[in-house]
Amino acid sequence: MTGLGCERGGFRNGIGSAYPFRGISFHGVKLEVLEKELAAFNIPGISFRRVSVSDTRTGKPELGLYVEITDWDQWRPTELSAYLAKLACKFDKRNPFASLTPLEMRSFLILWGSTQFYNDLATHGAAIDVAYYVRDWQARAAIYQQQSRRYWLYN
């Protein structure tokens, strides 16, 4: 659920072993700042809850945000990941996507499937208009669903 957004850019995917795929944190960014930034995006279908677990190796508390799905019909997993990439650029002033090696860029493109999104992210960093991409992806998904509807086995 958070893996795509944590693939590059400094986000940590998971909080201890208790929240491996639905927990996020960013080294050096206070939890309340991260929570405020994510809440400001008003991503439909999810909310964030602070959690603390004991690190199995050190015994120290490990803090992060747990991503709760509040509405499965409104939730769009890629949207959260796109906003995580945007925030990674805000938190890391060097724009981690602008300096990917060719191999890292290839990996990013395989995972995201959008050269346009990558180029925009690498060029504009935290100023990227994620809402534009979400609208574009939704429009393309609607077209695909309409075109493929006759092949659906179940409605």
Side-chain angles (χ1 to χ4, degrees):
M1 168 171 181
T2 58
L4 185 60
C6 297
E7 180 67 25
R8 297 274 180 253
F11 271 96
R12 185 160 171 242
N13 182 14
I15 306 160
S17 59
Y19 305 101
F21 302 106
R22 290 173 61 178
I24 52 175
S25 60
F26 196 98
H27 181 71
V29 175
K30 292 182 179 181
L31 206 52
E32 48 275 357
V33 171
L34 179 57
E35 184 177 32
K36 182 181 175 187
E37 292 281 351
L38 286 168
F41 294 132
N42 293 314
I43 303 170
I46 60 173
S47 66
F48 304 96
R49 176 172 46 96
R50 295 179 195 185
V51 295
S52 175
V53 298
S54 181
D55 186 314
T56 55
R57 295 167 300 191
T58 66
K60 293 181 180 179
E62 205 172 323
L63 305 172
L65 291 179
Y66 177 71
V67 183
E68 290 190 290
I69 300 172
T70 57
D71 187 329
W72 287 90
D73 293 328
Q74 288 190 4
W75 175 56
R76 298 179 297 255
T78 305
E79 186 171 1
L80 172 59
S81 290
Y83 279 112
L84 292 178
K86 177 183 177 88
L87 278 181
C89 294
K90 183 175 184 175
F91 295 152
D92 182 346
K93 301 299 183 207
R94 297 172 310 197
N95 186 347
F97 302 97
S99 59
L100 296 183
T101 67
L103 187 59
E104 291 169 333
M105 185 181 358
R106 181 179 183 276
S107 175
F108 183 93
L109 292 173
I110 288 170
L111 294 169
W112 279 90
S114 174
T115 304
Q116 182 184 2
F117 181 76
Y118 168 74
N119 288 336
D120 202 7
L121 186 61
T123 303
H124 298 104
I128 189 171
D129 184 2
V130 171
Y132 162 80
Y133 286 98
V134 170
R135 288 189 306 272
D136 182 57
W137 293 332
Q138 285 180 289
R140 290 173 186 248
I143 292 168
Y144 174 77
Q145 288 176 5
Q146 187 60 36
Q147 290 175 341
S148 65
R149 186 173 301 273
R150 65 181 171 184
Y151 303 106
W152 291 5
L153 297 176
Y154 307 100
N155 287 323

Coordinates of all heavy atoms in Angstrom, one line a residue, residues 38-126:
L38 N 0.4 15.4 5.2 CA -0.5 14.4 4.5 C -1.9 14.7 4.6 O -2.7 14.5 3.7 CB -0.2 13.0 5.1 CG 1.2 12.4 4.6 CD1 1.5 11.2 5.4 CD2 1.1 12.1 3.1
A39 N -2.4 15.1 5.8 CA -3.8 15.5 6.0 C -4.2 16.6 5.1 O -5.4 16.6 4.6 CB -4.0 15.8 7.5
A40 N -3.3 17.5 4.8 CA -3.6 18.7 4.0 C -4.0 18.3 2.5 O -4.7 19.0 1.8 CB -2.5 19.7 4.0
F41 N -3.5 17.1 2.1 CA -3.8 16.7 0.7 C -5.3 16.2 0.6 O -5.8 16.0 -0.5 CB -2.9 15.5 0.3 CG -1.4 16.0 0.2 CD1 -0.4 15.3 0.7 CD2 -1.1 17.2 -0.5 CE1 0.9 15.7 0.6 CE2 0.2 17.6 -0.7 CZ 1.2 16.9 -0.1
N42 N -5.9 15.9 1.7 CA -7.3 15.4 1.7 C -7.5 14.2 0.8 O -8.4 14.2 -0.1 CB -8.3 16.5 1.3 CG -8.3 17.6 2.4 OD1 -8.4 17.3 3.6 ND2 -8.2 18.8 2.0
I43 N -6.7 13.2 0.9 CA -6.7 12.0 0.0 C -8.0 11.2 0.4 O -8.1 10.8 1.5 CB -5.5 11.2 0.2 CG1 -4.2 12.0 -0.2 CG2 -5.5 10.0 -0.7 CD1 -2.9 11.4 0.2
P44 N -8.9 11.0 -0.5 CA -10.1 10.3 -0.2 C -9.9 8.8 0.2 O -9.0 8.2 -0.4 CB -10.9 10.3 -1.6 CG -10.2 11.3 -2.4 CD -8.8 11.4 -1.9
G45 N -10.7 8.4 1.2 CA -10.7 7.0 1.5 C -9.6 6.6 2.6 O -9.6 5.4 2.9
I46 N -8.8 7.5 3.0 CA -7.8 7.1 4.0 C -7.7 8.2 5.1 O -8.0 9.4 4.9 CB -6.4 6.9 3.4 CG1 -5.8 8.1 2.7 CG2 -6.4 5.7 2.5 CD1 -4.4 8.0 2.2
S47 N -7.1 7.8 6.2 CA -6.8 8.7 7.3 C -5.5 8.2 7.9 O -5.0 7.1 7.6 CB -7.9 8.8 8.3 OG -8.0 7.5 9.0
F48 N -4.9 9.0 8.8 CA -3.6 8.6 9.4 C -3.7 8.6 10.9 O -4.4 9.5 11.5 CB -2.5 9.6 8.9 CG -2.4 9.7 7.4 CD1 -3.1 10.7 6.7 CD2 -1.7 8.8 6.7 CE1 -3.1 10.8 5.3 CE2 -1.6 8.9 5.3 CZ -2.3 9.9 4.6
R49 N -3.0 7.6 11.5 CA -3.1 7.5 12.9 C -1.6 7.3 13.4 O -0.9 6.4 12.8 CB -3.9 6.3 13.3 CG -4.0 6.0 14.8 CD -5.0 4.9 15.1 NE -5.0 3.8 14.3 CZ -4.4 2.6 14.6 NH1 -3.7 2.5 15.7 NH2 -4.5 1.6 13.7
R50 N -1.2 8.0 14.4 CA 0.1 7.8 15.0 C 0.2 6.5 15.7 O -0.7 6.1 16.4 CB 0.5 8.9 15.9 CG 0.5 10.3 15.3 CD 0.8 11.3 16.3 NE 0.6 12.7 15.8 CZ 0.8 13.8 16.4 NH1 1.4 13.7 17.6 NH2 0.5 14.9 15.9
V51 N 1.3 5.8 15.5 CA 1.5 4.5 16.2 C 3.0 4.5 16.7 O 3.9 5.1 16.2 CB 1.3 3.3 15.3 CG1 -0.2 3.2 14.9 CG2 2.1 3.3 14.1
S52 N 3.2 3.7 17.7 CA 4.5 3.5 18.3 C 4.6 2.0 18.6 O 3.7 1.4 19.2 CB 4.7 4.3 19.6 OG 5.9 4.0 20.2
V53 N 5.7 1.4 18.1 CA 6.0 0.0 18.4 C 7.4 -0.1 18.9 O 8.2 0.8 18.7 CB 5.8 -0.9 17.2 CG1 4.3 -0.8 16.7 CG2 6.7 -0.5 16.1
S54 N 7.7 -1.1 19.6 CA 9.0 -1.4 20.1 C 9.9 -2.0 19.0 O 9.5 -3.0 18.4 CB 9.0 -2.3 21.4 OG 10.3 -2.5 21.9
D55 N 11.0 -1.4 18.8 CA 12.0 -2.0 17.8 C 12.5 -3.3 18.3 O 13.0 -3.4 19.4 CB 13.1 -1.0 17.5 CG 14.1 -1.5 16.4 OD1 14.5 -2.7 16.4 OD2 14.4 -0.7 15.6
T56 N 12.3 -4.4 17.6 CA 12.7 -5.7 18.0 C 14.2 -5.9 18.3 O 14.6 -6.7 19.1 CB 12.2 -6.8 17.0 OG1 12.8 -6.5 15.7 CG2 10.7 -6.9 17.0
R57 N 15.0 -5.1 17.6 CA 16.5 -5.2 17.8 C 17.0 -4.3 19.0 O 17.8 -4.7 19.7 CB 17.2 -4.7 16.5 CG 16.9 -5.7 15.3 CD 17.4 -5.0 14.1 NE 16.6 -3.8 14.0 CZ 16.6 -3.0 12.9 NH1 17.2 -3.3 11.9 NH2 15.8 -1.9 12.9
T58 N 16.5 -3.1 19.1 CA 17.0 -2.2 20.1 C 16.1 -2.0 21.3 O 16.5 -1.5 22.3 CB 17.2 -0.8 19.5 OG1 15.9 -0.2 19.1 CG2 18.1 -0.8 18.3
G59 N 14.8 -2.3 21.2 CA 13.8 -2.2 22.2 C 13.3 -0.7 22.4 O 12.5 -0.4 23.2
K60 N 13.9 0.2 21.5 CA 13.4 1.6 21.6 C 12.1 1.7 20.8 O 11.8 1.0 19.9 CB 14.5 2.5 20.9 CG 15.8 2.5 21.7 CD 16.8 3.4 21.0 CE 18.1 3.4 21.8 NZ 19.1 4.3 21.2
P61 N 11.4 2.8 21.1 CA 10.1 3.0 20.4 C 10.4 3.4 19.0 O 11.3 4.2 18.7 CB 9.4 4.1 21.2 CG 10.4 4.7 22.1 CD 11.5 3.7 22.2
E62 N 9.6 2.9 18.1 CA 9.6 3.3 16.7 C 8.3 3.9 16.3 O 7.2 3.4 16.5 CB 9.8 2.0 15.8 CG 10.5 2.3 14.5 CD 10.8 1.0 13.8 OE1 11.2 0.0 14.4 OE2 10.7 1.0 12.6
L63 N 8.4 5.2 15.9 CA 7.2 6.0 15.6 C 6.9 6.1 14.1 O 7.8 6.1 13.3 CB 7.3 7.4 16.2 CG 7.7 7.5 17.7 CD1 8.0 8.9 18.0 CD2 6.5 6.9 18.5
G64 N 5.6 6.2 13.8 CA 5.2 6.4 12.4 C 3.7 6.6 12.3 O 3.0 6.7 13.3
L65 N 3.3 6.8 11.0 CA 1.9 7.0 10.8 C 1.3 5.7 10.1 O 1.9 5.2 9.2 CB 1.7 8.1 9.8 CG 1.9 9.5 10.3 CD1 1.7 10.6 9.2 CD2 1.1 9.9 11.5
Y66 N 0.2 5.2 10.7 CA -0.5 4.1 10.1 C -1.5 4.6 9.2 O -2.3 5.5 9.5 CB -1.1 3.3 11.3 CG -1.9 2.1 10.8 CD1 -1.3 1.0 10.3 CD2 -3.3 2.1 10.9 CE1 -2.0 -0.1 9.9 CE2 -4.0 1.0 10.5 CZ -3.4 -0.1 10.0 OH -4.1 -1.1 9.5
V67 N -1.6 4.1 8.0 CA -2.5 4.5 7.0 C -3.8 3.6 7.1 O -3.7 2.4 6.9 CB -2.0 4.4 5.6 CG1 -3.0 4.9 4.5 CG2 -0.6 5.1 5.4
E68 N -4.9 4.2 7.5 CA -6.1 3.5 7.7 C -7.0 3.8 6.5 O -7.2 4.9 6.1 CB -6.9 4.0 9.0 CG -6.2 3.6 10.2 CD -7.0 3.9 11.5 OE1 -7.2 5.1 11.8 OE2 -7.5 2.9 12.1
I69 N -7.6 2.7 6.0 CA -8.6 2.8 4.9 C -9.9 3.1 5.6 O -10.4 2.2 6.3 CB -8.6 1.6 4.0 CG1 -7.2 1.4 3.4 CG2 -9.6 1.7 2.9 CD1 -7.0 0.1 2.7
T70 N -10.5 4.2 5.3 CA -11.8 4.6 5.8 C -12.9 4.4 4.8 O -14.1 4.2 5.2 CB -11.8 6.1 6.2 OG1 -11.5 6.9 5.1 CG2 -10.8 6.3 7.4
D71 N -12.6 4.3 3.5 CA -13.6 4.1 2.5 C -13.0 3.3 1.3 O -12.3 4.0 0.5 CB -14.3 5.4 2.1 CG -15.5 5.2 1.1 OD1 -15.5 4.2 0.4 OD2 -16.4 6.0 1.2
W72 N -13.2 2.1 1.2 CA -12.6 1.2 0.2 C -13.0 1.7 -1.2 O -12.3 1.5 -2.2 CB -12.9 -0.2 0.4 CG -12.2 -0.8 1.6 CD1 -12.6 -0.9 2.9 CD2 -10.9 -1.4 1.5 NE1 -11.6 -1.4 3.7 CE2 -10.6 -1.8 2.9 CE3 -9.9 -1.6 0.5 CZ2 -9.4 -2.4 3.2 CZ3 -8.8 -2.3 0.9 CH2 -8.5 -2.6 2.2
D73 N -14.2 2.2 -1.4 CA -14.7 2.7 -2.7 C -14.0 3.9 -3.2 O -13.9 4.2 -4.4 CB -16.2 2.8 -2.7 CG -16.9 1.5 -2.5 OD1 -16.4 0.5 -2.9 OD2 -18.0 1.5 -1.9
Q74 N -13.6 4.8 -2.2 CA -13.0 6.1 -2.6 C -11.4 6.0 -2.7 O -10.8 6.8 -3.3 CB -13.4 7.2 -1.6 CG -14.8 7.6 -1.8 CD -15.1 8.8 -1.0 OE1 -14.2 9.4 -0.4 NE2 -16.3 9.3 -1.0
W75 N -10.9 5.0 -2.0 CA -9.4 4.9 -1.9 C -8.8 4.6 -3.2 O -9.2 3.7 -3.9 CB -9.1 3.8 -0.9 CG -7.7 3.5 -0.7 CD1 -6.7 4.3 -0.4 CD2 -7.1 2.2 -0.8 NE1 -5.5 3.6 -0.3 CE2 -5.7 2.3 -0.6 CE3 -7.6 0.9 -1.1 CZ2 -4.8 1.3 -0.6 CZ3 -6.7 -0.1 -1.2 CH2 -5.3 0.0 -0.9
R76 N -7.7 5.3 -3.5 CA -7.0 5.1 -4.8 C -5.5 5.0 -4.3 O -4.8 6.0 -4.1 CB -7.2 6.3 -5.7 CG -8.6 6.5 -6.2 CD -8.7 7.6 -7.1 NE -8.4 8.9 -6.5 CZ -9.4 9.8 -6.1 NH1 -10.6 9.6 -6.3 NH2 -9.0 11.0 -5.6
P77 N -5.0 3.8 -4.3 CA -3.6 3.6 -3.7 C -2.5 4.4 -4.3 O -1.6 4.9 -3.6 CB -3.4 2.1 -4.0 CG -4.7 1.5 -4.1 CD -5.6 2.6 -4.7
T78 N -2.6 4.6 -5.6 CA -1.5 5.3 -6.3 C -1.4 6.8 -5.9 O -0.4 7.4 -5.9 CB -1.6 5.2 -7.8 OG1 -1.7 3.8 -8.2 CG2 -0.4 5.8 -8.5
E79 N -2.6 7.3 -5.5 CA -2.7 8.7 -5.1 C -1.8 9.0 -3.9 O -1.0 10.0 -3.9 CB -4.1 9.1 -4.8 CG -4.3 10.6 -4.6 CD -5.7 11.0 -4.5 OE1 -6.6 10.1 -4.7 OE2 -6.0 12.2 -4.3
L80 N -1.9 8.1 -2.9 CA -1.0 8.3 -1.7 C 0.5 8.3 -2.1 O 1.2 9.1 -1.7 CB -1.3 7.2 -0.7 CG -0.4 7.2 0.5 CD1 -0.4 8.5 1.3 CD2 -0.7 6.0 1.4
S81 N 0.8 7.3 -2.9 CA 2.2 7.2 -3.3 C 2.7 8.4 -4.1 O 3.9 8.9 -3.9 CB 2.4 6.0 -4.2 OG 2.3 4.8 -3.4
A82 N 1.9 9.0 -4.9 CA 2.3 10.2 -5.7 C 2.5 11.4 -4.7 O 3.4 12.2 -4.9 CB 1.2 10.6 -6.7
Y83 N 1.6 11.5 -3.7 CA 1.8 12.6 -2.7 C 3.1 12.3 -1.9 O 3.7 13.3 -1.4 CB 0.6 12.8 -1.9 CG -0.5 13.6 -2.6 CD1 -1.7 13.0 -3.0 CD2 -0.3 14.9 -2.8 CE1 -2.6 13.8 -3.6 CE2 -1.2 15.7 -3.5 CZ -2.4 15.1 -3.9 OH -3.3 15.9 -4.5
L84 N 3.4 11.1 -1.6 CA 4.6 10.8 -0.9 C 5.8 11.2 -1.7 O 6.8 11.8 -1.1 CB 4.7 9.3 -0.5 CG 3.7 8.7 0.5 CD1 3.9 7.2 0.7 CD2 3.8 9.4 1.8
A85 N 5.8 11.0 -3.0 CA 6.9 11.5 -3.8 C 7.0 13.0 -3.8 O 8.1 13.5 -3.7 CB 6.7 11.0 -5.3
K86 N 5.9 13.7 -3.8 CA 5.9 15.1 -3.8 C 6.5 15.6 -2.4 O 7.3 16.5 -2.4 CB 4.4 15.6 -3.9 CG 4.2 17.1 -3.8 CD 2.8 17.5 -3.9 CE 2.5 19.0 -3.7 NZ 2.6 19.7 -4.9
L87 N 6.0 15.0 -1.4 CA 6.6 15.3 0.0 C 8.1 15.0 0.1 O 8.8 15.8 0.7 CB 5.8 14.6 1.1 CG 4.5 15.3 1.5 CD1 3.8 14.5 2.6 CD2 4.7 16.7 1.9
A88 N 8.5 13.9 -0.5 CA 9.9 13.6 -0.5 C 10.8 14.8 -1.0 O 11.8 15.1 -0.5 CB 10.2 12.3 -1.2
C89 N 10.2 15.4 -2.1 CA 10.9 16.5 -2.7 C 10.9 17.7 -1.8 O 11.8 18.5 -1.8 CB 10.3 16.9 -4.0 SG 10.5 15.6 -5.3
K90 N 9.8 17.9 -1.0 CA 9.7 19.0 -0.1 C 10.7 18.8 1.1 O 11.3 19.7 1.5 CB 8.3 19.2 0.4 CG 8.1 20.3 1.3 CD 6.6 20.5 1.7 CE 6.4 21.7 2.6 NZ 5.0 22.0 2.8
F91 N 10.7 17.6 1.6 CA 11.6 17.3 2.8 C 13.0 17.2 2.4 O 13.9 17.5 3.3 CB 11.1 16.0 3.4 CG 9.7 16.0 4.0 CD1 9.0 14.9 4.1 CD2 9.2 17.2 4.5 CE1 7.7 14.9 4.7 CE2 7.9 17.2 5.0 CZ 7.2 16.1 5.1
D92 N 13.4 16.8 1.2 CA 14.8 16.8 0.8 C 15.0 17.8 -0.3 O 14.6 17.6 -1.5 CB 15.0 15.4 0.2 CG 16.5 15.2 -0.2 OD1 17.2 16.2 -0.4 OD2 16.9 14.0 -0.5
K93 N 15.5 18.9 0.1 CA 15.6 20.1 -0.8 C 16.4 19.8 -2.1 O 16.3 20.6 -3.1 CB 16.3 21.3 -0.1 CG 15.6 21.7 1.1 CD 14.2 22.2 0.8 CE 13.5 22.7 2.1 NZ 12.1 22.6 2.1
R94 N 17.1 18.7 -2.2 CA 17.9 18.4 -3.4 C 17.1 17.7 -4.5 O 17.6 17.4 -5.5 CB 19.1 17.5 -3.0 CG 20.1 18.1 -2.1 CD 21.1 17.1 -1.7 NE 20.4 15.9 -1.2 CZ 20.9 15.0 -0.5 NH1 22.1 15.0 -0.2 NH2 20.1 14.0 -0.1
N95 N 15.8 17.4 -4.2 CA 14.9 16.7 -5.1 C 15.6 15.3 -5.5 O 16.3 15.2 -6.4 CB 14.6 17.4 -6.4 CG 13.6 16.7 -7.3 OD1 13.3 15.5 -7.1 ND2 13.1 17.4 -8.2
P96 N 15.3 14.3 -4.7 CA 15.9 13.0 -4.9 C 15.6 12.3 -6.2 O 16.3 11.4 -6.7 CB 15.3 12.1 -3.7 CG 14.0 12.8 -3.4 CD 14.3 14.3 -3.6
F97 N 14.6 12.8 -6.9 CA 14.2 12.2 -8.2 C 15.0 12.8 -9.4 O 15.0 12.3 -10.5 CB 12.7 12.3 -8.4 CG 11.9 11.7 -7.4 CD1 11.4 12.4 -6.3 CD2 11.8 10.3 -7.4 CE1 10.7 11.8 -5.3 CE2 11.1 9.7 -6.3 CZ 10.6 10.4 -5.3
A98 N 15.6 14.0 -9.2 CA 16.3 14.7 -10.2 C 17.7 14.1 -10.5 O 18.3 14.3 -11.5 CB 16.5 16.2 -9.9
S99 N 18.2 13.3 -9.5 CA 19.5 12.7 -9.6 C 19.6 11.2 -9.6 O 20.6 10.6 -9.3 CB 20.4 13.3 -8.5 OG 19.8 12.9 -7.2
L100 N 18.5 10.6 -10.1 CA 18.5 9.1 -10.2 C 19.5 8.6 -11.2 O 19.6 9.3 -12.3 CB 17.1 8.6 -10.5 CG 16.0 8.8 -9.5 CD1 14.7 8.2 -10.0 CD2 16.3 8.3 -8.1
T101 N 20.1 7.5 -10.9 CA 21.0 6.9 -11.9 C 20.1 6.3 -13.0 O 18.9 6.1 -12.8 CB 21.8 5.8 -11.3 OG1 21.0 4.7 -10.9 CG2 22.6 6.3 -10.1
P102 N 20.7 6.0 -14.2 CA 19.8 5.4 -15.2 C 19.1 4.1 -14.7 O 18.0 3.9 -15.1 CB 20.9 5.1 -16.3 CG 21.9 6.1 -16.2 CD 22.0 6.3 -14.7
L103 N 19.8 3.3 -13.9 CA 19.2 2.1 -13.4 C 18.0 2.4 -12.5 O 17.0 1.8 -12.5 CB 20.2 1.2 -12.7 CG 19.7 -0.2 -12.3 CD1 19.2 -1.0 -13.5 CD2 20.9 -0.9 -11.6
E104 N 18.2 3.4 -11.6 CA 17.2 3.8 -10.6 C 16.0 4.4 -11.4 O 14.8 4.1 -11.1 CB 17.7 4.8 -9.6 CG 18.7 4.2 -8.7 CD 19.4 5.3 -7.8 OE1 19.6 6.4 -8.3 OE2 19.9 5.0 -6.7
M105 N 16.3 5.2 -12.4 CA 15.2 5.8 -13.2 C 14.4 4.7 -13.9 O 13.2 4.7 -14.0 CB 15.8 6.8 -14.3 CG 14.7 7.5 -15.0 SD 15.2 8.7 -16.3 CE 16.9 8.7 -16.3
R106 N 15.1 3.7 -14.5 CA 14.4 2.6 -15.2 C 13.5 1.9 -14.2 O 12.4 1.6 -14.5 CB 15.5 1.6 -15.7 CG 14.9 0.4 -16.5 CD 16.0 -0.5 -17.1 NE 15.4 -1.5 -17.8 CZ 14.9 -2.7 -17.3 NH1 15.0 -2.9 -16.0 NH2 14.4 -3.6 -18.0
S107 N 14.0 1.6 -13.0 CA 13.2 1.0 -12.0 C 12.0 1.8 -11.6 O 10.9 1.3 -11.5 CB 14.1 0.7 -10.7 OG 13.3 0.2 -9.7
F108 N 12.2 3.1 -11.4 CA 11.1 4.0 -11.1 C 10.0 3.9 -12.3 O 8.8 3.8 -12.0 CB 11.6 5.4 -11.0 CG 10.5 6.4 -10.6 CD1 10.3 6.7 -9.3 CD2 9.8 7.1 -11.6 CE1 9.3 7.6 -8.9 CE2 8.8 8.0 -11.2 CZ 8.6 8.3 -9.9
L109 N 10.5 4.0 -13.5 CA 9.5 4.0 -14.6 C 8.8 2.7 -14.7 O 7.6 2.6 -15.1 CB 10.3 4.3 -15.9 CG 10.8 5.7 -16.0 CD1 11.7 5.9 -17.3 CD2 9.7 6.7 -16.0
I110 N 9.5 1.6 -14.4 CA 8.8 0.3 -14.5 C 7.7 0.2 -13.4 O 6.6 -0.2 -13.7 CB 9.8 -0.9 -14.2 CG1 10.7 -1.1 -15.5 CG2 9.1 -2.2 -13.9 CD1 11.9 -2.0 -15.3
L111 N 8.0 0.7 -12.2 CA 7.0 0.7 -11.2 C 5.8 1.7 -11.4 O 4.7 1.4 -11.2 CB 7.7 1.0 -9.8 CG 8.7 0.0 -9.3 CD1 9.5 0.5 -8.2 CD2 7.9 -1.3 -9.0
W112 N 6.2 2.9 -11.8 CA 5.1 3.9 -12.0 C 4.4 3.9 -13.4 O 3.3 4.2 -13.5 CB 5.7 5.3 -11.8 CG 5.9 5.7 -10.4 CD1 6.9 5.4 -9.6 CD2 4.9 6.3 -9.6 NE1 6.7 5.9 -8.3 CE2 5.4 6.4 -8.3 CE3 3.6 6.8 -9.8 CZ2 4.7 7.0 -7.2 CZ3 2.9 7.4 -8.8 CH2 3.5 7.5 -7.5
G113 N 5.2 3.5 -14.4 CA 4.6 3.4 -15.7 C 4.3 4.7 -16.4 O 3.5 4.7 -17.3
S114 N 4.9 5.8 -15.9 CA 4.6 7.1 -16.5 C 5.9 7.9 -16.6 O 6.4 8.4 -15.6 CB 3.6 7.8 -15.7 OG 3.4 9.1 -16.2
T115 N 6.4 8.0 -17.8 CA 7.6 8.9 -18.1 C 7.2 10.3 -17.8 O 8.0 11.1 -17.2 CB 8.0 8.7 -19.5 OG1 8.3 7.4 -19.8 CG2 9.3 9.6 -19.8
Q116 N 6.0 10.7 -18.1 CA 5.5 12.1 -17.9 C 5.6 12.5 -16.4 O 6.0 13.5 -16.0 CB 4.1 12.3 -18.5 CG 3.6 13.7 -18.3 CD 2.2 13.9 -18.8 OE1 1.6 13.0 -19.2 NE2 1.7 15.1 -18.7
F117 N 5.0 11.6 -15.6 CA 5.0 11.8 -14.1 C 6.5 11.9 -13.6 O 6.8 12.8 -12.9 CB 4.3 10.7 -13.4 CG 4.2 10.9 -11.9 CD1 3.4 11.8 -11.4 CD2 5.0 10.2 -11.1 CE1 3.3 12.0 -10.0 CE2 5.0 10.4 -9.7 CZ 4.1 11.3 -9.2
Y118 N 7.3 11.0 -14.1 CA 8.7 11.1 -13.6 C 9.4 12.4 -14.0 O 10.0 13.0 -13.2 CB 9.5 9.9 -14.1 CG 11.0 10.1 -13.9 CD1 11.6 10.0 -12.6 CD2 11.8 10.5 -14.9 CE1 12.9 10.3 -12.4 CE2 13.2 10.8 -14.7 CZ 13.7 10.7 -13.4 OH 15.0 11.0 -13.2
N119 N 9.3 12.7 -15.3 CA 9.9 14.0 -15.8 C 9.4 15.2 -15.0 O 10.2 16.1 -14.7 CB 9.7 14.1 -17.3 CG 10.5 13.1 -18.1 OD1 11.5 12.6 -17.7 ND2 10.0 12.8 -19.3
D120 N 8.1 15.2 -14.8 CA 7.5 16.4 -14.0 C 8.0 16.4 -12.6 O 8.4 17.4 -12.1 CB 6.0 16.2 -14.1 CG 5.3 17.5 -13.8 OD1 5.9 18.6 -13.8 OD2 4.0 17.5 -13.7
L121 N 8.1 15.2 -12.0 CA 8.6 15.1 -10.6 C 10.1 15.5 -10.6 O 10.5 16.3 -9.7 CB 8.4 13.7 -10.1 CG 8.8 13.4 -8.7 CD1 7.9 14.2 -7.7 CD2 8.6 11.9 -8.4
A122 N 10.9 15.0 -11.5 CA 12.3 15.3 -11.5 C 12.6 16.8 -11.8 O 13.5 17.4 -11.2 CB 13.0 14.5 -12.5
T123 N 11.7 17.4 -12.6 CA 11.9 18.8 -13.0 C 11.3 19.8 -12.0 O 11.9 20.8 -11.6 CB 11.2 19.1 -14.4 OG1 11.8 18.2 -15.3 CG2 11.4 20.5 -14.8
H124 N 10.1 19.5 -11.5 CA 9.4 20.5 -10.6 C 9.4 20.1 -9.1 O 9.0 20.9 -8.3 CB 8.0 20.6 -11.1 CG 7.9 21.2 -12.5 ND1 7.6 20.4 -13.6 CD2 8.1 22.5 -12.9 CE1 7.6 21.2 -14.6 NE2 8.0 22.4 -14.3
G125 N 9.8 18.9 -8.8 CA 9.9 18.4 -7.4 C 8.6 18.7 -6.6 O 7.5 18.2 -7.1
A126 N 8.7 19.4 -5.5 CA 7.5 19.6 -4.6 C 6.4 20.4 -5.3 O 5.3 20.4 -4.8 CB 8.0 20.2 -3.3

